Amino acid sequence: MNGFFYKDGVLHVDDVSLLDIEKQFTTPVYIYSKLSLSNNYKALEEALENKLGKGHPKLIAYSVKANSNIAVINVLKKLGSGADVVSSGELKRVIKAGINGEKIVFSGVGKTKKELSFALDSDVMQFNIESISELEILSEIASSKNKKAPIAFRINPDIDAGGHEKISTGGSNTKFGIPYKQAVNVYEYAKNLPGIKVVGIDIHIGSQITDLEPFKLAFNKVLILYQKLIENGHNIINLDLGGGIGISYGENFTPFDINDYADLIKEKFGSLECKLIFEPGRYITANAGILLTKVIRNKESYNNNFLIVDAAMNDILRPALYDAYHEVITVVEKKKEQEVIDYQVVGPICETGDIICRKASLSNIKDGDLLAVKYAGAYGAVMSSYYNSRDLVPEIMINNKKINIIRKRILIEDLISYENIPD
Ligand SMILES: Cc1ncc(COP(=O)(O)O)c(C=O)c1O
């Protein structure tokens, strides 16, 4: 269920008109639907519970990198979510949002000593370890605190998850995880370290995966490793299956159904007693958010119809970074009989790559019209910056017709105030 829909010819979010939101907040602004966030979380939880049974041990550890606003995390926390974090900054956010260490998984390829120490003090439930050196340092720090750090190794199964190379993480040419062939040996080594308690296996093969096949291949490898580790006397109580569930961005294809994903989980892991951990990010937040933007001006050049809007690559980086497609629609609904024009929607930043949508087929757009960039709730505001000395984009959340500012606009004047001209 998506909380964004047209009512009386105007795009609404959870019954609030985007025209009204624009009057109060101007643009650009991110807008999230609390209802959609909740529905997405519940859809995944329900699919898993329908297939695995309600009592099967599991944890949905929302991957905070997708959208780390503490209000968003808090909505999910109230539904029972844990968190997957990749930095002490994200850990601080989830603690602030009310999630306890026992539901927090600490991932990431370059955790520093300071971060490991902070996570130990926060009693996180599992460290996903990506190298021997990280393991040894964690053991030392944990021993000095008279603790044993609960760990899983992130295994790199050497599987190409498809999709854009910049978000595919499970191949042999990426920096992530421990090579599959070395897995048994690293577990043997970890067993004897004083500050370490082996508790699980972890994989995450990539993001925006729209076909189940790579998951199938990766899960088979996890199962083989699991059996081997049990034979070797390890007490594997957690299987962390990562994130990566893909969504449609409005293109003409449908990714796998969440019930089929849950079926696969049941087929592969349903008979094991381990706790199954899931780290979804995009699936929970992407379609729960839009970026509202206003057309500054139309510009025709050669054969191109450009719409120069007031959002830019500093506000939404995905199209520039990954050539990602985000559907763009008008806030005032197009009438059926209106002629359609193919526009390039671009920002005002001085970069050729500052493109928000290469082809948006829209009715005749005038300067000042409002557009919504859809599926912007994941990897949107979290990647924003103030490049070209632009304000940092604000975020609002609609909850039962109530408009809540969850990150105020950070003005360039605020940012300049941190700078200093030396004598
Ligand atoms: C370790 C880890 N877990 C989970 C995720 C979330 O992925 P997604 O948003 O595709 O579900 C990511 C993102 O790449 C990740 O790096």
Side-chain angles (χ1 to χ4, degrees):
M1 276 273 290
N2 191 331
F4 296 88
F5 52 86
Y6 286 107
K7 187 174 152 191
D8 303 328
V10 174
L11 193 60
H12 281 62
V13 49
D14 298 350
D15 244 10
V16 179
S17 155
L18 292 196
L19 293 177
D20 290 344
I21 294 178
E22 193 272 333
K23 268 187 215 131
Q24 282 186 55
F25 297 96
T26 73
T27 51
V29 57
Y30 275 97
I31 302 164
Y32 309 129
S33 151
K34 182 183 172 197
L35 181 67
S36 294
L37 283 174
S38 306
N39 285 343
N40 292 340
Y41 180 89
K42 287 183 198 157
L44 176 60
E45 184 180 55
E46 253 174 56
L48 291 169
E49 287 183 352
N50 285 344
K51 305 290 175 182
L52 290 167
K54 232 179 159 56
H56 196 103
K58 69 164 181 335
L59 175 69
I60 298 178
Y62 166 61
S63 191
V64 167
K65 64 168 73 67
N67 186 324
S68 59
N69 191 295
I70 55 173
V72 170
I73 303 169
N74 181 257
V75 168
L76 301 171
K77 182 252 162 186
K78 286 188 180 142
L79 296 171
S81 183
D84 161 52
V85 301
V86 292
S87 68
S88 53
E90 285 191 353
L91 182 51
K92 285 173 190 168
R93 285 178 175 278
V94 303
I95 291 170
K96 176 118 194 187
I99 297 183
N100 292 332
E102 68 205 21
K103 284 190 171 182
I104 300 173
V105 175
F106 194 10
S107 305
V109 70
K111 306 176 199 82
T112 63
K113 286 182 184 171
K114 202 170 160 197
E115 288 181 311
L116 291 169
S117 177
F118 176 51
L120 274 166
D121 294 342
S122 309
D123 292 322
V124 302
M125 72 168 282
Q126 181 171 292
F127 291 81
N128 288 341
I129 298 296
E130 303 220 19
S131 65
I132 289 294
S133 127
E134 183 190 356
L135 179 79
E136 290 172 342
I137 288 165
L138 179 62
S139 175
E140 261 173 45
I141 302 172
S143 299
S144 74
K145 294 177 190 279
N146 284 325
K147 285 188 166 183
K148 275 192 177 283
I151 70 111
F153 282 105
R154 174 170 175 179
I155 301 303
N156 180 329
D158 192 12
I159 283 166
D160 177 5
H164 196 280
E165 63 163 345
K166 286 187 185 159
I167 49 174
S168 183
T169 60
S172 58
N173 55 350
T174 70
K175 65 184 173 186
F176 297 104
I178 304 272
Y180 189 73
K181 280 193 185 139
Q182 293 169 20
V184 171
N185 288 343
V186 295
Y187 275 94
E188 285 311 299
Y189 180 59
K191 211 185 210 171
N192 300 315
L193 289 183
I196 296 295
K197 182 179 173 201
V198 170
V199 295
I201 304 173
D202 168 50
I203 50 158
H204 171 75
I205 57 171
S207 198
Q208 183 56 1
I209 302 170
T210 51
D211 177 359
L212 278 180
E213 197 55 29
F215 281 121
K216 241 183 237 175
L217 298 174
F219 293 165
N220 286 342
K221 286 195 160 180
V222 170
L223 269 180
I224 294 168
L225 178 62
Y226 172 78
Q227 297 301 352
K228 187 80 192 137
L229 295 179
I230 296 295
E231 278 165 27
N232 289 357
H234 291 281
N235 188 18
I236 302 296
I237 53 170
N238 298 333
L239 292 182
D240 184 337
L241 304 172
I245 303 168
I247 62 141
S248 164
Y249 277 87
E251 317 93 322
N252 279 335
F253 82 92
T254 321
F256 59 77
D257 189 289
I258 199 64
N259 292 303
D260 295 336
Y261 175 80
D263 257 335
L264 180 66
I265 299 292
K266 181 184 173 188
E267 179 196 323
K268 300 294 176 193
F269 306 110
S271 62
L272 307 182
E273 276 163 19
C274 302
K275 179 187 274 190
L276 301 177
I277 302 173
F278 303 91
E279 300 175 354
R282 185 188 315 269
Y283 179 80
I284 307 276
T285 57
N287 77 358
I290 59 144
L291 174 61
L292 184 66
T293 182
K294 191 184 287 166
V295 176
I296 299 174
R297 70 180 53 91
N298 274 261
K299 176 173 174 175
E300 270 183 48
S301 179
Y302 294 99
N303 288 328
N304 301 297
N305 298 305
F306 291 106
L307 290 178
I308 303 171
V309 298
D310 63 1
M313 65 189 285
N314 72 303
D315 304 309
I316 184 158
L317 187 58
R318 294 190 71 256
L321 188 62
Y322 310 132
D323 288 323
Y325 175 74
H326 281 261
E327 187 183 3
V328 172
I329 58 174
T330 50
V331 167
V332 175
E333 194 173 16
K334 161 172 92 60
K335 303 215 168 43
K336 285 215 172 64
E337 63 279 8
Q338 272 177 311
E339 183 203 359
V340 165
I341 299 173
D342 288 339
Y343 289 103
Q344 271 201 56
V345 182
V346 298
I349 281 186
C350 300
E351 297 269 354
T352 312
D354 182 20
I355 296 170
I356 290 175
C357 184
R358 280 181 193 280
K359 187 179 166 194
S361 303
L362 303 168
S363 54
N364 198 356
I365 301 290
K366 290 186 225 46
D367 297 356
D369 283 357
L370 288 174
L371 302 177
V373 183
K374 290 181 79 184
Y375 312 102
Y379 307 105
V382 277
M383 288 191 185
S384 57
S385 74
Y386 51 92
Y387 183 41
N388 270 211
S389 289
R390 291 162 50 84
D391 297 340
L392 205 55
V393 61
E395 297 169 277
I396 65 176
M397 187 190 283
I398 309 300
N399 173 16
N400 261 337
K401 296 195 182 180
K402 200 161 167 246
I403 305 174
N404 301 291
I405 305 175
I406 60 171
R407 175 170 95 182
K408 63 181 185 183
R409 192 181 301 281
I410 299 177
L411 301 175
I412 194 62
E413 288 81 356
D414 299 328
L415 294 163
I416 292 172
S417 73
Y418 283 89
E419 296 174 20
N420 185 35
I421 301 175
D423 298 338

